[in-house]
Amino acid sequence: MADQDKPQTSVDETPISPIRPNNERRNSLEQHLQHRPERSELVDKNILPASTAAPGLQEKQKELEKHMRADSLNDKISHRPSPEKLIKEGVLHEDPRSAEEKYEEAIEDEYAKREGGA
């Protein structure tokens, strides 16, 4: 009797996504894969790394390259000639400012950097 007192409700069984003819939905992945760009194109656009190393090793490889660049720069800096030698050779010209003026300017520059100025 209780079942007869309740009104009958209908359940909407229409699909959420529209039904497409010719199985377009099923073939969409295949179509996208056919138009997928080549690996070399993705490397040229910097989407993929140029490395052929395993993905788990690529982060370590980047870190190693960074350290190698730093070492190379430090080596070049250690072999560069002193300012005095460059002045003697005529590459640099002596700064006409006094040591105090240079110091004051350096202090002002440092202060500006810390305050967010220059």
Side-chain angles (χ1 to χ4, degrees):
M1 270 199 242
D3 290 336
Q4 293 174 358
D5 293 340
K6 292 183 180 178
Q8 292 290 332
T9 58
S10 64
V11 176
D12 184 11
E13 294 185 12
T14 57
I16 295 174
S17 62
I19 299 174
R20 297 179 182 165
N22 300 329
N23 293 326
E24 275 185 42
R25 176 102 170 119
R26 291 185 183 152
N27 294 331
S28 67
L29 177 61
E30 185 177 325
Q31 291 171 359
H32 285 291
L33 289 175
Q34 287 175 354
H35 300 296
R36 183 180 187 177
E38 293 293 322
R39 185 182 193 287
S40 60
E41 184 180 339
L42 296 174
V43 169
D44 291 341
K45 293 180 178 179
N46 289 325
I47 295 172
L48 286 178
S51 172
T52 56
L57 298 175
Q58 287 178 358
E59 184 64 33
K60 294 290 183 185
Q61 185 179 20
K62 280 184 181 180
E63 189 177 328
L64 178 62
E65 289 171 358
K66 180 181 174 183
H67 288 294
M68 288 173 65
R69 279 192 304 271
D71 290 345
S72 172
L73 288 173
N74 287 334
D75 184 51
K76 289 176 182 178
I77 288 172
S78 69
H79 289 97
R80 91 176 155 186
S82 67
E84 294 81 20
K85 183 176 179 183
L86 293 174
I87 289 172
K88 287 179 185 175
E89 293 175 357
V91 176
L92 285 180
H93 302 288
E94 188 140 5
D95 195 350
R97 298 176 298 167
S98 69
E100 289 178 7
E101 291 173 333
K102 293 178 192 176
Y103 179 74
E104 287 176 11
E105 184 178 342
I107 293 294
E108 289 174 7
D109 288 345
E110 185 63 29
Y111 180 73
K113 286 179 189 174
R114 292 183 184 193
E115 292 297 316

